[in-house]
Amino acid sequence: MAGDRVLRAKGDLMWGKTGAVTRRHFLQYGVGVGAALALPLARTPVAAAAMGGKLAKFLEPVPLPGSGIVVATPSGANQYSFTQTQIARQLHPQLPPTPLWAYDDGSGLAGQAGSFGMAVVARTGTPVRASFTNNLPAVYPARIPVDTRLTPLGNQVRVMTHLHGGFVAADSDGNPSITPNGFGPGETQTVLYPNQAPQMPASLLWFHDHGLGTTRLNVFAGLAAAYLVRDEHDTGTEPNPIGIPGGAYEIPLVIQDRQFNPDGTFLYPTSDIEGVTWIGEYFGDVMLVNGKVWPFLNVEPRLYRFRILNGCNARILNLGLGGVQIFQIGAEGGMWDRPVPMKRLVLAPAERADVLVDFRRSPGQTLVVKNGSPPAPVATPAPSLTTVMQIRVGTTVTQPGPGTVPASLPGRAADLPAPARTRYITLNEIGAETAGWFLNLNGLHFGEAGGAEAPTAGTVEDWVYVNLTGDTHPMHTHLFTHQVIGRTPFDAEAYEEANDSPNGVPGGIDPTPFATGPMLPPAPEERGFKDTTKVDPGYFTTIRGRFDLPAGVTAPQTYVHHCHIVEHEDNDMMQPFTVEP
Ligand SMILES: [Cu+2]
């Protein structure tokens, strides 16, 4: 073995000197280690039958709220009654209609144009009650390849809706620790979303399916929707007290990659490992925005507000908006105290960016939103998919809107007090490319005894995510938004060597003695509170959270935290945590 590399016998994971390196990286760098590693490449990026290369770009407009996206109609005062249902929509003019799963607000979804088609508008301080009744097929169709090793009830469709970013009681969380079997045909999940300040400020949340072992499939099939929280400043209208664009000039952009079969169905590849259906990551060869393939957006030469969500299963986006000026004003946990100029937006799955975009210098131009490889230390096995959508800038302004980007905003920078306690949580990948392949937190399968953290209600804690794999994992915390404290480079190999167990390094072991440099500060776009944070290889990443519970909710309450690469979440990079009295 070359002097600067070490081969260790755990599955066939490879470990490099400055951090964990998976077999994928090892092969990519062309190191000749012979037939022992010549296993089938199970991370099949794109299936041979996929249609992406045959579809013309920019043929249809991007669906917008009220025009292709349904703004949910309440079934009572501050109450919504959804059913999960199967519909079919044509997502591109050269494709037959695609069967997909959707949240129906009772409207019948005639107003839904694409595969992403529902938005709830809520208000800080006003609780919302919602119900979700499963009206889907009883078992998965063949086109959605369930891996019954990972599910509680075989190939039954068991759904469960999670409000991503929601500050809610455990039994309203849509949480596989509380309801591991989810909800079957005809069953109804009922939830209360308090929308309580300050934990739920004006922000873009989303709700999506969280079925145990099937989140990747149910979200892929279409079960994802927007949940927009407003307050007295962020009214969504124009003018507004903040002085930012609103109305038709505030546009949600939900970006998802997909593959299609020639018959129009979504294509989800299966593993070529015997006995395994699950794949390590799902990547598309087509980009959808608000549920349409490679659409275009007409804008006026003025200031806009885009609410961007990475809704991909596994793809980390690095977006450029055709060279126009971008000012980010918020992220998952709401608006910041001031705008931050940005050149590109690097968003892992479930991360959001609230941005102001200035088209005033681009009248008459046609711009393309491009996706590039994310910069180091972000690491991902995604194949390239560079085109996202087209923006056609007109020459006429209907309503001028704000003339400047405001110097200050009514939101907040994250500034939690010092922690009462620090916890160390490891991220491990075991047996990659073998039948026993899984990922985990703290060396344990989901829910295995000893894996649950137990913070005390009302206290502040630091959680240190110690990445021992070769890839970036976007870690999502239910219940609490968090502050990014920083990322510290460390010798993952030596840490692992000193602390290994059969399924990786257990939790609770401080990696600080293995640090190889000082902690790097948070990125500019990590200024505010977040609910999903990139945990990069070669580093341990420290986040800080306060374990409050909604008013009237008493400890103990159990939630989960997990990787939001939903393939990883399903197998098995997730653990519960319990907020204790
Ligand atoms: Cu992951």
Side-chain angles (χ1 to χ4, degrees):
M1 191 65 34
D4 64 344
R5 286 181 183 273
V6 177
L7 168 61
R8 301 198 53 230
K10 177 161 63 180
D12 54 359
L13 282 184
M14 309 299 301
W15 301 83
K17 186 164 187 159
T18 56
V21 177
T22 65
R23 172 175 163 272
R24 175 181 51 73
H25 292 113
F26 208 69
L27 291 179
Q28 179 180 320
Y29 298 136
V31 179
V33 291
L37 285 172
L39 298 171
L41 189 62
R43 291 184 174 188
T44 312
V46 174
M51 290 291 290
K54 303 187 176 101
L55 301 178
K57 298 183 176 74
F58 318 135
L59 296 183
E60 289 196 292
V62 64
L64 298 173
S67 174
I69 294 178
V70 178
V71 179
T73 300
S75 56
N78 301 306
Q79 183 146 359
Y80 295 88
S81 301
F82 290 105
T83 52
Q84 290 105 328
T85 186
Q86 179 160 308
I87 60 174
R89 292 290 179 273
Q90 191 176 30
L91 309 187
H92 187 276
Q94 295 167 294
L95 283 173
T98 299
L100 54 97
W101 293 355
Y103 294 105
D104 185 352
D105 60 347
S107 68
L109 300 182
Q112 173 165 347
S115 57
F116 187 97
M118 181 59 60
V120 168
V121 181
R123 193 175 169 85
T124 294
T126 304
V128 162
R129 290 182 184 279
S131 65
F132 301 90
T133 299
N134 178 355
N135 192 32
L136 292 166
V139 298
Y140 281 93
R143 64 188 164 82
I144 303 180
V146 65
D147 190 325
T148 54
R149 301 171 311 151
L150 308 178
T151 57
L153 293 168
N155 68 345
Q156 291 185 30
V157 176
R158 312 292 304 192
V159 293
M160 180 165 54
T161 304
H162 166 57
L163 177 61
H164 183 120
F167 181 63
V168 304
D171 61 5
S172 285
D173 188 39
N175 171 330
S177 278
I178 304 290
T179 317
N181 289 350
F183 297 86
E187 293 180 351
T188 298
Q189 175 188 8
T190 58
V191 297
L192 170 65
Y193 301 150
N195 299 320
Q196 178 184 318
Q199 290 87 356
M200 293 239 341
S203 50
L204 171 63
L205 311 186
W206 57 315
F207 56 105
H208 62 75
D209 200 74
H210 211 301
L212 180 59
T214 55
T215 294
R216 72 194 184 288
L217 303 172
N218 298 345
V219 172
F220 159 82
L223 291 178
Y227 188 93
L228 200 54
V229 185
R230 302 293 193 186
D231 67 11
E232 73 273 21
H233 305 287
D234 187 1
T235 60
T237 55
E238 188 179 293
N240 53 64
I242 313 173
I244 54 175
Y249 303 97
E250 179 190 11
I251 292 177
L253 297 174
V254 178
I255 301 171
Q256 299 174 297
D257 58 341
R258 290 286 185 274
Q259 297 180 40
F260 288 92
N261 292 302
D263 67 358
T265 54
F266 283 142
L267 191 170
Y268 194 107
T270 55
S271 177
D272 51 13
I273 300 170
E274 197 175 338
V276 177
T277 304
W278 174 87
I279 57 170
E281 291 96 5
Y282 175 82
F283 297 115
D285 63 344
V286 165
M287 211 71 103
L288 279 70
V289 182
N290 297 352
K292 283 278 191 179
V293 174
W294 284 313
F296 67 84
L297 174 68
N298 287 316
V299 300
E300 299 177 359
R302 52 154 282 171
L303 211 55
Y304 275 76
R305 181 184 186 186
F306 289 163
R307 314 294 298 269
I308 304 173
L309 161 66
N310 181 343
C312 297
N313 275 29
R315 183 179 290 277
I316 301 172
L317 301 170
N318 176 8
L319 301 173
L321 269 52
V324 297
Q325 264 197 306
I326 307 170
F327 295 89
Q328 190 165 348
I329 61 172
E332 298 97 81
M335 202 174 279
W336 302 338
D337 55 336
R338 65 170 176 80
V340 173
M342 300 289 292
K343 288 202 157 44
R344 302 191 64 89
L345 302 170
V346 181
L347 297 173
E351 286 190 305
R352 283 91 80 197
D354 188 354
V355 298
L356 306 185
V357 182
D358 192 350
F359 295 109
R360 285 177 292 191
R361 292 181 199 162
S362 316
Q365 290 185 22
T366 298
L367 311 171
V368 176
V369 178
K370 287 282 193 183
N371 174 51
S373 295
V378 177
T380 168
S384 169
L385 181 55
T386 56
T387 302
V388 180
M389 63 183 288
Q390 187 187 59
I391 297 176
R392 301 174 182 171
V393 189
T395 53
T396 314
V397 174
T398 310
Q399 181 177 321
T404 56
V405 172
S408 69
L409 298 165
R412 53 187 182 160
D415 56 353
L416 289 171
R421 170 168 184 163
T422 299
R423 296 176 191 272
Y424 303 98
I425 299 153
T426 57
L427 285 66
N428 301 283
E429 180 170 16
I430 305 301
E433 318 290 347
T434 73
W437 186 5
F438 79 115
L439 299 101
N440 72 52
L441 302 179
N442 291 344
L444 298 167
H445 284 279
F446 173 62
E448 212 176 315
E453 314 297 341
T456 302
T459 64
V460 172
E461 292 195 350
D462 276 2
W463 284 16
V464 180
Y465 285 113
V466 186
N467 190 346
L468 301 171
T469 79
D471 293 323
T472 294
H473 302 273
M475 290 301 299
H476 170 47
T477 56
H478 286 217
L479 176 70
F480 67 103
T481 53
H482 53 254
Q483 176 179 358
V484 179
I485 301 299
R487 295 177 177 82
T488 309
F490 79 121
D491 187 338
E493 179 203 325
Y495 173 83
E496 216 241 354
E497 186 89 42
N499 301 298
D500 208 3
S501 78
N503 285 333
V505 176
I509 303 170
D510 185 357
T512 306
F514 299 90
T516 55
M519 176 186 278
L520 308 179
E525 65 270 26
E526 293 170 334
R527 178 175 187 81
F529 284 95
K530 293 181 60 62
D531 65 35
T532 307
T533 289
K534 290 181 277 283
V535 172
D536 298 317
Y539 293 80
F540 52 90
T541 299
T542 303
I543 66 165
R544 182 169 296 172
R546 188 201 302 274
F547 293 87
D548 293 327
L549 294 171
V553 176
T554 52
Q557 296 282 318
T558 296
Y559 302 88
V560 294
H561 62 126
H562 58 84
C563 178
H564 218 286
I565 291 175
V566 281
E567 283 74 27
H568 296 180
E569 171 187 342
D570 279 345
N571 185 24
D572 211 11
M573 201 172 237
M574 173 164 70
Q575 282 297 339
F577 68 92
T578 298
V579 179
E580 300 280 5

